[in-house]
Amino acid sequence: MRPRNLAVLLLLPVLVAAGCGSKNKSSGSGQANNTTSTPAAGTTASTPAATTPSSGRSAIAVDATEFKFTPSTLTAKAGAATFKLTNTGGAPHALEIQGQGMEKSSQVIQGGQSTDLKVTLKPGKYQFYCPVDNHKQMGMTGTLTVS
């Protein structure tokens, strides 16, 4: 074999390996390209609140993860309200609001999913929590003040 052909054969694996590297040059946790969760039609992942068409009011965004809500302290005006729960954790979660003679629950959602809970609020203090298993006892609670 000629020395020139031998050099090409020896360099070929190096060139192929260099071409197989990641094209993602961003730094971080490696989760920047996570595409396992897709926002619902008409929403975007970066928008914390959506407009409620019937009332023109914004939805109150709440994130659920193990084992807390963010934010855990909420305020709202009396009347019709929509809470947009997004499960950013891995375990199933839901949102239950209790107080002022009302107790309403959202559906249970899996990690990466979202759901809306529509309620009519009277002025006063409410508690919200995750009714799944023992999540409430594990501290997955919050307070809602309605004026």
Side-chain angles (χ1 to χ4, degrees), residues 12-42:
L12 187 59
V14 173
L15 294 172
V16 170
C20 292
S22 172
K23 293 182 182 185
N24 182 2
K25 302 290 184 197
S26 67
S27 62
S29 65
Q31 296 177 340
N33 290 328
N34 182 357
T35 57
T36 58
S37 165
T38 304

Side-chain angles (χ1 to χ4, degrees), residues 17-142:
C20 292
S22 172
K23 293 182 182 185
N24 182 2
K25 302 290 184 197
S26 67
S27 62
S29 65
Q31 296 177 340
N33 290 328
N34 182 357
T35 57
T36 58
S37 165
T38 304
T43 65
T44 61
S46 62
T47 304
T51 302
T52 305
S54 61
S55 67
R57 297 169 86 178
S58 293
I60 300 167
V62 181
D63 287 345
T65 190
E66 290 78 43
F67 288 96
K68 66 179 182 175
F69 286 109
T70 304
S72 61
T73 303
L74 300 172
T75 58
K77 299 236 183 257
T82 301
F83 292 83
K84 180 164 191 67
L85 177 67
T86 302
N87 185 343
T88 57
H93 295 298
L95 177 68
E96 186 159 329
I97 301 173
Q98 183 177 12
Q100 305 304 315
M102 182 200 69
E103 185 171 358
K104 286 265 207 168
S105 252
S106 73
Q107 67 182 19
V108 176
I109 55 173
Q110 301 301 315
Q113 295 181 328
S114 295
T115 189
D116 289 346
L117 174 61
K118 296 180 182 193
V119 296
T120 301
L121 300 169
K122 298 176 187 173
K125 295 270 186 188
Y126 295 76
Q127 177 187 37
F128 63 92
Y129 55 90
C130 180
V132 176
D133 297 331
N134 62 343
H135 295 188
K136 180 180 179 183
Q137 290 77 15
M138 295 176 76
M140 199 165 177
T141 63

Side-chain angles (χ1 to χ4, degrees), residues 4-16:
R4 185 174 187 210
N5 291 343
L6 182 60
V8 169
L9 287 175
L10 291 174
L11 285 175
L12 187 59
V14 173
L15 294 172
V16 170

